Amino acid sequence: MSVDARLIKRLRGVAGTAAFKLDVHLQAGSGITALFGPSGSGKTLLLNCLAGFVRADEGRILVNDRLYFDASTGVHVPPRDRACGYIFQDHALFPHMTVRENLEFAAASRSLQNGPLNRRRRLNELLQAFELSDLAARKPAQLSGGQKQRAALARILVNEPALLLLDEPTRGLDARLRDSFYQLLRRTREQVKAPILLVTHDLEECFELADRVCIVEGGRFVQSGPRDAVFSRPASIEIARSLGIYTILPAEIKALDPGRNTSRLQVFGFEVEGPYLPGHLIGDHGSLCIRSSEIKLLPAAGRASRNQIEAGLLRQSASARGILLELEHEITALISESEYENLRGRDRLRIEIPDSAGHFIGK
Protein backbone atom coordinates (compact mmCIF):
# COMPACT_ATOMS: atom_id res chain seq x y z
CA MET A 1 0.00 0.00 0.00
CA SER A 2 1.42 3.41 -0.92
CA VAL A 3 0.55 7.04 -1.55
CA ASP A 4 2.26 9.24 -4.13
CA ALA A 5 0.69 12.69 -4.39
CA ARG A 6 2.06 15.80 -6.08
CA LEU A 7 -0.36 18.63 -5.38
CA ILE A 8 -0.70 22.35 -5.89
CA LYS A 9 -3.75 24.14 -4.49
CA ARG A 10 -4.13 27.92 -4.43
CA LEU A 11 -6.50 29.74 -2.09
CA ARG A 12 -7.39 33.37 -2.61
CA GLY A 13 -7.03 35.77 0.27
CA VAL A 14 -10.35 36.95 1.73
CA ALA A 15 -11.28 39.63 4.28
CA GLY A 16 -7.74 40.96 4.47
CA THR A 17 -6.07 37.55 4.76
CA ALA A 18 -3.14 36.63 2.56
CA ALA A 19 -3.42 34.21 -0.34
CA PHE A 20 -2.20 30.68 0.35
CA LYS A 21 -0.54 28.04 -1.83
CA LEU A 22 -0.18 24.35 -0.99
CA ASP A 23 2.68 22.85 -2.99
CA VAL A 24 3.79 19.41 -1.78
CA HIS A 25 4.97 16.00 -2.90
CA LEU A 26 3.76 13.38 -0.42
CA GLN A 27 5.08 9.82 -0.45
CA ALA A 28 3.84 7.45 2.25
CA GLY A 29 3.88 3.70 2.74
CA SER A 30 2.39 1.49 5.42
CA GLY A 31 2.59 2.73 8.98
CA ILE A 32 1.87 6.21 10.30
CA THR A 33 3.08 9.35 8.55
CA ALA A 34 2.64 12.48 10.67
CA LEU A 35 1.98 15.83 9.02
CA PHE A 36 3.49 18.08 11.67
CA GLY A 37 3.34 21.85 11.74
CA PRO A 38 1.57 24.93 13.08
CA SER A 39 -2.08 25.75 12.50
CA GLY A 40 -2.66 27.24 9.06
CA SER A 41 0.29 25.49 7.43
CA GLY A 42 -1.88 23.43 5.05
CA LYS A 43 -2.05 20.06 6.81
CA THR A 44 -5.85 19.68 6.78
CA LEU A 45 -6.05 21.12 3.26
CA LEU A 46 -3.75 18.31 2.12
CA LEU A 47 -5.98 15.69 3.77
CA ASN A 48 -9.05 17.19 2.09
CA CYS A 49 -7.35 17.05 -1.31
CA LEU A 50 -6.47 13.38 -0.76
CA ALA A 51 -10.03 12.59 0.33
CA GLY A 52 -11.50 14.45 -2.65
CA PHE A 53 -13.35 17.10 -0.65
CA VAL A 54 -11.09 19.75 -2.24
CA ARG A 55 -9.97 19.57 -5.86
CA ALA A 56 -6.34 20.52 -6.39
CA ASP A 57 -5.36 22.93 -9.17
CA GLU A 58 -2.40 20.89 -10.38
CA GLY A 59 -0.84 17.47 -9.83
CA ARG A 60 -1.93 13.88 -9.38
CA ILE A 61 -2.82 11.48 -6.58
CA LEU A 62 -1.95 7.80 -6.79
CA VAL A 63 -3.02 5.46 -3.96
CA ASN A 64 -2.03 1.81 -4.15
CA ASP A 65 -1.59 2.11 -7.95
CA ARG A 66 -5.07 3.60 -8.32
CA LEU A 67 -5.38 7.07 -9.81
CA TYR A 68 -7.58 9.32 -7.64
CA PHE A 69 -6.78 12.62 -9.31
CA ASP A 70 -4.90 13.89 -12.35
CA ALA A 71 -5.24 17.54 -13.29
CA SER A 72 -3.72 17.05 -16.74
CA THR A 73 -6.31 14.47 -17.83
CA GLY A 74 -9.27 15.71 -15.77
CA VAL A 75 -9.50 12.60 -13.54
CA HIS A 76 -11.19 13.36 -10.22
CA VAL A 77 -12.61 10.34 -8.39
CA PRO A 78 -15.43 11.52 -6.08
CA PRO A 79 -14.88 11.14 -2.32
CA ARG A 80 -17.40 8.29 -1.95
CA ASP A 81 -15.37 6.16 -4.38
CA ARG A 82 -11.89 6.80 -2.99
CA ALA A 83 -11.92 4.19 -0.21
CA CYS A 84 -10.54 6.71 2.26
CA GLY A 85 -11.31 6.50 5.96
CA TYR A 86 -11.40 9.99 7.49
CA ILE A 87 -11.57 10.84 11.21
CA PHE A 88 -12.41 14.51 11.66
CA GLN A 89 -11.61 16.60 14.72
CA ASP A 90 -15.22 16.26 15.94
CA HIS A 91 -15.45 12.53 15.01
CA ALA A 92 -18.47 13.28 12.70
CA LEU A 93 -20.60 10.42 14.02
CA PHE A 94 -24.27 10.72 13.02
CA PRO A 95 -25.95 11.93 16.24
CA HIS A 96 -29.34 10.32 15.49
CA MET A 97 -27.81 6.86 14.94
CA THR A 98 -26.53 4.34 17.46
CA VAL A 99 -22.97 3.09 17.32
CA ARG A 100 -24.04 -0.02 15.44
CA GLU A 101 -26.15 2.03 13.02
CA ASN A 102 -23.20 4.31 12.33
CA LEU A 103 -21.13 1.28 11.37
CA GLU A 104 -23.98 -0.22 9.34
CA PHE A 105 -24.41 3.03 7.43
CA ALA A 106 -20.70 3.08 6.59
CA ALA A 107 -20.89 -0.53 5.40
CA ALA A 108 -23.99 0.17 3.28
CA SER A 109 -22.52 3.30 1.72
CA ARG A 110 -20.23 1.10 -0.37
CA SER A 111 -21.08 -2.03 -2.25
CA LEU A 112 -19.36 -4.86 -0.40
CA GLN A 113 -18.81 -8.05 -2.31
CA ASN A 114 -18.89 -10.31 0.75
CA GLY A 115 -22.67 -10.21 1.23
CA PRO A 116 -24.89 -9.39 4.24
CA LEU A 117 -23.69 -12.30 6.40
CA ASN A 118 -20.01 -11.40 6.16
CA ARG A 119 -20.90 -7.76 6.59
CA ARG A 120 -22.62 -8.47 9.93
CA ARG A 121 -19.69 -10.62 10.97
CA ARG A 122 -17.30 -7.78 10.13
CA LEU A 123 -19.37 -5.31 12.16
CA ASN A 124 -19.44 -7.61 15.18
CA GLU A 125 -15.69 -8.18 14.95
CA LEU A 126 -15.04 -4.43 14.96
CA LEU A 127 -17.43 -3.79 17.83
CA GLN A 128 -15.63 -6.42 19.86
CA ALA A 129 -12.12 -5.35 18.83
CA PHE A 130 -12.79 -1.74 19.82
CA GLU A 131 -14.64 -2.69 23.03
CA LEU A 132 -17.91 -1.27 21.73
CA SER A 133 -20.18 -4.33 21.97
CA ASP A 134 -21.82 -3.12 25.19
CA LEU A 135 -22.16 0.38 23.72
CA ALA A 136 -23.59 -0.62 20.34
CA ALA A 137 -27.11 0.61 21.19
CA ARG A 138 -25.96 4.00 22.45
CA LYS A 139 -26.02 7.22 20.46
CA PRO A 140 -22.98 9.54 20.29
CA ALA A 141 -24.39 11.90 22.93
CA GLN A 142 -24.28 8.99 25.40
CA LEU A 143 -20.59 8.26 24.76
CA SER A 144 -17.45 9.66 26.35
CA GLY A 145 -14.76 11.30 24.22
CA GLY A 146 -12.67 8.14 24.15
CA GLN A 147 -15.67 5.98 23.23
CA LYS A 148 -16.54 8.35 20.37
CA GLN A 149 -13.00 8.01 19.07
CA ARG A 150 -13.16 4.23 19.16
CA ALA A 151 -16.51 4.30 17.36
CA ALA A 152 -15.20 6.70 14.71
CA LEU A 153 -12.13 4.55 14.06
CA ALA A 154 -14.19 1.35 13.91
CA ARG A 155 -16.54 2.99 11.43
CA ILE A 156 -13.80 3.95 8.98
CA LEU A 157 -12.34 0.41 9.15
CA VAL A 158 -15.62 -1.28 8.19
CA ASN A 159 -14.77 -1.20 4.51
CA GLU A 160 -11.04 -1.88 4.88
CA PRO A 161 -10.01 1.52 3.44
CA ALA A 162 -7.00 1.98 1.21
CA LEU A 163 -6.00 5.11 3.14
CA LEU A 164 -6.67 6.38 6.68
CA LEU A 165 -6.76 10.13 7.27
CA LEU A 166 -6.75 11.40 10.87
CA ASP A 167 -7.16 15.14 11.50
CA GLU A 168 -5.93 15.91 15.03
CA PRO A 169 -7.87 12.96 16.49
CA THR A 170 -6.77 13.62 20.09
CA ARG A 171 -7.67 17.29 20.16
CA GLY A 172 -9.51 18.17 23.37
CA LEU A 173 -8.83 14.84 25.11
CA ASP A 174 -7.24 14.62 28.52
CA ALA A 175 -3.95 12.77 29.02
CA ARG A 176 -5.59 9.47 29.99
CA LEU A 177 -7.90 9.36 26.95
CA ARG A 178 -5.06 10.46 24.71
CA ASP A 179 -2.85 7.60 25.89
CA SER A 180 -5.75 5.19 25.38
CA PHE A 181 -6.18 6.36 21.80
CA TYR A 182 -2.44 6.03 21.15
CA GLN A 183 -2.61 2.38 22.19
CA LEU A 184 -5.65 1.87 19.97
CA LEU A 185 -3.98 3.44 16.96
CA ARG A 186 -0.83 1.37 17.45
CA ARG A 187 -2.93 -1.80 17.39
CA THR A 188 -4.70 -0.55 14.29
CA ARG A 189 -1.35 0.11 12.60
CA GLU A 190 -0.35 -3.49 13.22
CA GLN A 191 -3.66 -4.87 11.88
CA VAL A 192 -4.14 -2.84 8.70
CA LYS A 193 -1.90 -2.43 5.69
CA ALA A 194 -3.30 0.93 4.64
CA PRO A 195 -1.08 4.00 5.06
CA ILE A 196 -2.17 6.24 7.93
CA LEU A 197 -1.77 10.01 7.64
CA LEU A 198 -1.96 11.85 10.96
CA VAL A 199 -2.33 15.63 11.15
CA THR A 200 -0.92 17.05 14.37
CA HIS A 201 0.91 20.04 15.82
CA ASP A 202 1.78 18.09 18.97
CA LEU A 203 5.43 17.02 19.03
CA GLU A 204 4.82 14.42 21.75
CA GLU A 205 2.18 12.83 19.52
CA CYS A 206 4.73 12.51 16.73
CA PHE A 207 7.16 10.74 19.04
CA GLU A 208 4.40 8.45 20.31
CA LEU A 209 2.96 7.39 16.95
CA ALA A 210 4.83 8.41 13.82
CA ASP A 211 7.01 6.17 11.68
CA ARG A 212 7.69 9.04 9.29
CA VAL A 213 7.29 12.80 9.66
CA CYS A 214 6.65 15.58 7.16
CA ILE A 215 7.21 19.03 8.67
CA VAL A 216 4.79 21.45 7.02
CA GLU A 217 5.27 25.21 6.97
CA GLY A 218 3.53 27.70 4.72
CA GLY A 219 2.08 25.01 2.47
CA ARG A 220 5.38 23.23 1.83
CA PHE A 221 7.32 20.29 3.25
CA VAL A 222 10.45 21.83 4.76
CA GLN A 223 11.76 18.42 5.87
CA SER A 224 10.56 14.84 5.70
CA GLY A 225 11.83 11.36 6.45
CA PRO A 226 11.93 8.74 9.21
CA ARG A 227 10.86 10.25 12.53
CA ASP A 228 14.14 9.81 14.40
CA ALA A 229 16.20 11.12 11.47
CA VAL A 230 14.09 14.26 11.17
CA PHE A 231 14.05 15.09 14.86
CA SER A 232 17.71 14.28 15.48
CA ARG A 233 19.01 16.20 12.44
CA PRO A 234 16.85 19.26 11.69
CA ALA A 235 17.64 20.66 8.26
CA SER A 236 17.73 24.32 9.34
CA ILE A 237 17.93 26.54 12.37
CA GLU A 238 14.34 27.60 11.76
CA ILE A 239 13.18 23.99 11.96
CA ALA A 240 15.27 23.34 15.08
CA ARG A 241 13.70 26.38 16.77
CA SER A 242 10.18 25.40 15.75
CA LEU A 243 10.57 21.95 17.33
CA GLY A 244 11.25 23.53 20.71
CA ILE A 245 13.45 20.68 21.95
CA TYR A 246 16.88 22.13 21.11
CA THR A 247 19.35 24.44 22.74
CA ILE A 248 21.00 26.34 19.89
CA LEU A 249 24.48 27.80 20.38
CA PRO A 250 26.73 29.76 17.98
CA ALA A 251 29.74 27.68 16.98
CA GLU A 252 32.85 27.78 14.79
CA ILE A 253 34.64 24.74 13.35
CA LYS A 254 38.21 24.62 14.68
CA ALA A 255 39.34 21.16 13.52
CA LEU A 256 38.20 18.36 11.23
CA ASP A 257 39.71 14.86 11.11
CA PRO A 258 37.97 12.51 8.65
CA GLY A 259 40.41 9.69 9.46
CA ARG A 260 39.35 9.65 13.09
CA ASN A 261 35.79 10.74 12.32
CA THR A 262 36.05 13.70 14.68
CA SER A 263 35.51 17.43 14.69
CA ARG A 264 36.19 20.20 17.18
CA LEU A 265 34.02 23.28 17.64
CA GLN A 266 34.49 26.45 19.63
CA VAL A 267 31.43 27.56 21.60
CA PHE A 268 31.72 30.69 23.81
CA GLY A 269 35.46 30.08 24.18
CA PHE A 270 34.99 26.42 25.14
CA GLU A 271 35.84 23.41 22.95
CA VAL A 272 33.29 20.78 22.01
CA GLU A 273 34.26 17.58 20.19
CA GLY A 274 31.94 15.50 18.07
CA PRO A 275 31.73 13.41 14.90
CA TYR A 276 33.26 14.51 11.60
CA LEU A 277 31.25 17.09 9.65
CA PRO A 278 31.31 16.22 5.93
CA GLY A 279 30.72 19.13 3.59
CA HIS A 280 32.13 21.70 6.03
CA LEU A 281 35.50 23.47 6.31
CA ILE A 282 37.65 24.68 9.18
CA GLY A 283 36.57 28.21 10.00
CA ASP A 284 32.93 27.69 9.04
CA HIS A 285 30.47 29.41 11.35
CA GLY A 286 27.08 28.03 12.24
CA SER A 287 25.06 26.71 15.15
CA LEU A 288 25.38 23.70 17.42
CA CYS A 289 21.95 22.22 18.15
CA ILE A 290 21.73 20.09 21.27
CA ARG A 291 18.66 18.22 22.46
CA SER A 292 17.84 19.73 25.83
CA SER A 293 17.18 16.23 27.19
CA GLU A 294 20.80 15.25 26.34
CA ILE A 295 22.39 18.03 28.36
CA LYS A 296 24.00 17.04 31.67
CA LEU A 297 24.41 19.71 34.35
CA LEU A 298 27.25 19.81 36.87
CA PRO A 299 28.41 22.30 39.50
CA ALA A 300 30.94 24.80 38.13
CA ALA A 301 34.10 23.85 40.03
CA GLY A 302 37.68 23.76 38.83
CA ARG A 303 38.67 23.87 35.19
CA ALA A 304 36.14 22.85 32.56
CA SER A 305 36.79 19.44 31.00
CA ARG A 306 36.30 18.46 27.36
CA ASN A 307 32.79 19.16 26.03
CA GLN A 308 31.86 21.33 28.98
CA ILE A 309 30.48 24.88 28.78
CA GLU A 310 29.97 27.18 31.74
CA ALA A 311 26.93 29.44 32.09
CA GLY A 312 25.06 31.37 34.76
CA LEU A 313 21.73 30.09 36.08
CA LEU A 314 18.96 32.62 35.44
CA ARG A 315 15.87 30.85 36.80
CA GLN A 316 14.34 27.49 37.60
CA SER A 317 10.73 26.33 37.56
CA ALA A 318 8.85 23.15 38.37
CA SER A 319 7.15 21.20 35.58
CA ALA A 320 5.20 17.96 35.34
CA ARG A 321 8.37 16.20 34.13
CA GLY A 322 10.89 17.66 36.57
CA ILE A 323 12.76 20.95 37.05
CA LEU A 324 13.26 23.25 34.08
CA LEU A 325 16.46 25.31 34.29
CA GLU A 326 17.07 28.38 32.16
CA LEU A 327 20.67 29.52 31.80
CA GLU A 328 22.62 32.17 29.94
CA HIS A 329 22.86 31.96 26.15
CA GLU A 330 19.25 30.68 26.00
CA ILE A 331 20.32 27.26 27.29
CA THR A 332 17.52 25.17 28.80
CA ALA A 333 17.66 21.79 30.49
CA LEU A 334 15.08 19.54 32.11
CA ILE A 335 16.34 17.49 35.05
CA SER A 336 14.81 15.40 37.82
CA GLU A 337 14.22 16.78 41.29
CA SER A 338 16.91 14.49 42.71
CA GLU A 339 19.45 15.83 40.17
CA TYR A 340 18.47 19.37 41.07
CA GLU A 341 19.28 18.75 44.75
CA ASN A 342 22.97 18.49 43.82
CA LEU A 343 22.80 21.89 42.10
CA ARG A 344 20.59 23.82 44.48
CA GLY A 345 22.03 27.17 45.52
CA ARG A 346 24.51 27.35 42.59
CA ASP A 347 24.46 30.46 40.43
CA ARG A 348 26.83 29.06 37.80
CA LEU A 349 26.64 25.61 36.26
CA ARG A 350 28.62 23.53 33.83
CA ILE A 351 26.87 22.03 30.81
CA GLU A 352 28.30 18.72 29.62
CA ILE A 353 27.53 17.76 26.03
CA PRO A 354 27.88 14.09 24.96
CA ASP A 355 30.02 13.58 21.84
CA SER A 356 27.13 12.47 19.66
CA ALA A 357 24.45 14.78 21.10
CA GLY A 358 25.23 17.85 19.00
CA HIS A 359 24.10 18.58 15.44
CA PHE A 360 25.98 21.32 13.56
CA ILE A 361 24.11 23.48 11.05
CA GLY A 362 26.24 25.83 8.96
CA LYS A 363 25.23 29.30 7.91
Side-chain angles (χ1 to χ4, degrees):
M1 307 290 287
S2 63
V3 180
D4 192 333
R6 294 178 181 268
L7 296 173
I8 295 178
K9 178 62 182 179
R10 301 176 183 87
L11 300 178
R12 295 179 180 178
V14 294
T17 62
F20 182 83
K21 179 182 178 182
L22 178 72
D23 186 353
V24 297
H25 182 198
L26 171 70
Q27 294 178 302
S30 59
I32 298 175
T33 298
L35 304 176
F36 173 77
S39 297
S41 58
K43 305 184 300 296
T44 298
L45 179 59
L46 173 55
L47 287 199
N48 289 338
C49 288
L50 293 171
F53 301 141
V54 173
R55 185 164 183 162
D57 299 316
E58 301 176 33
R60 67 198 298 263
I61 301 172
L62 194 66
V63 177
N64 195 29
D65 297 327
R66 184 185 174 200
L67 190 64
Y68 281 7
F69 171 77
D70 189 348
S72 63
T73 59
V75 173
H76 180 73
V77 176
R80 64 180 179 274
D81 296 327
R82 292 199 180 195
C84 290
Y86 201 136
I87 291 187
F88 300 87
Q89 293 178 8
D90 60 357
H91 313 304
L93 294 168
F94 294 114
H96 62 289
M97 294 183 181
T98 66
V99 171
R100 178 179 287 277
E101 288 168 346
N102 266 276
L103 269 64
E104 288 174 343
F105 180 86
S109 65
R110 296 186 44 154
S111 56
L112 298 183
Q113 299 177 352
N114 294 333
L117 182 60
N118 285 330
R119 182 182 303 170
R120 285 195 297 272
R121 183 181 296 116
R122 174 67 173 162
L123 292 182
N124 290 332
E125 287 174 351
L126 286 170
L127 289 171
Q128 183 175 3
F130 288 91
E131 299 178 5
L132 294 168
S133 298
D134 294 338
L135 307 173
R138 293 188 186 182
K139 293 183 178 179
Q142 299 171 298
L143 302 177
S144 68
Q147 291 166 344
K148 288 178 183 178
Q149 279 191 323
R150 298 205 306 269
L153 189 53
R155 186 178 64 175
I156 68 172
L157 294 177
V158 165
N159 295 308
E160 299 180 350
L163 178 63
L164 271 66
L165 307 173
L166 311 181
D167 189 6
E168 297 191 54
T170 62
R171 186 176 185 178
L173 295 185
D174 61 32
R176 181 181 61 83
L177 290 177
R178 197 161 49 241
D179 289 342
S180 178
F181 183 77
Y182 291 164
Q183 295 175 19
L184 178 63
L185 193 55
R186 290 190 198 100
R187 292 201 304 269
T188 302
R189 176 179 56 189
E190 299 300 323
Q191 294 169 2
V192 303
K193 297 180 180 179
I196 301 173
L197 297 182
L198 170 71
V199 162
T200 183
H201 58 260
D202 187 328
L203 189 64
E204 293 295 334
E205 195 157 272
C206 285
F207 276 104
E208 286 280 355
L209 298 173
D211 299 295
R212 292 180 58 83
V213 173
C214 299
I215 300 179
V216 192
E217 289 185 9
R220 294 178 178 271
F221 291 163
V222 293
Q223 189 173 356
S224 60
R227 179 199 61 199
D228 293 342
V230 169
F231 290 144
S232 64
R233 301 184 65 82
S236 69
I237 293 300
E238 291 73 23
I239 293 174
R241 287 198 180 100
S242 71
L243 294 176
I245 57 175
Y246 281 98
T247 287
I248 302 172
L249 306 174
E252 179 185 356
I253 298 178
K254 287 298 184 179
L256 292 169
D257 190 338
R260 295 183 178 179
N261 189 33
T262 60
S263 64
R264 189 170 73 251
L265 307 178
Q266 187 174 64
V267 180
F268 298 125
F270 298 89
E271 290 191 348
V272 176
E273 292 188 8
Y276 178 66
L277 302 170
H280 294 286
L281 301 173
I282 294 174
D284 282 357
H285 290 262
S287 298
L288 180 63
C289 301
I290 312 157
R291 287 274 286 273
S292 297
S293 59
E294 295 284 342
I295 291 176
K296 182 179 180 181
L297 295 180
L298 304 168
R303 185 177 179 180
S305 301
R306 183 176 67 89
N307 283 30
Q308 291 184 351
I309 298 170
E310 194 169 305
L313 176 62
L314 302 178
R315 64 187 63 86
Q316 65 276 342
S317 58
S319 76
R321 294 180 293 170
I323 305 296
L324 179 65
L325 302 182
E326 299 177 51
L327 298 93
E328 293 175 323
H329 315 304
E330 299 183 358
I331 298 172
T332 61
L334 185 66
I335 62 175
S336 67
E337 292 188 15
S338 60
E339 289 174 313
Y340 180 62
E341 285 302 317
N342 298 324
L343 306 173
R344 190 182 295 275
R346 307 271 183 168
D347 59 357
R348 294 194 66 79
L349 299 175
R350 195 155 286 161
I351 297 95
E352 188 170 88
I353 304 169
D355 289 357
S356 59
H359 172 55
F360 181 80
I361 301 176
K363 288 186 176 179

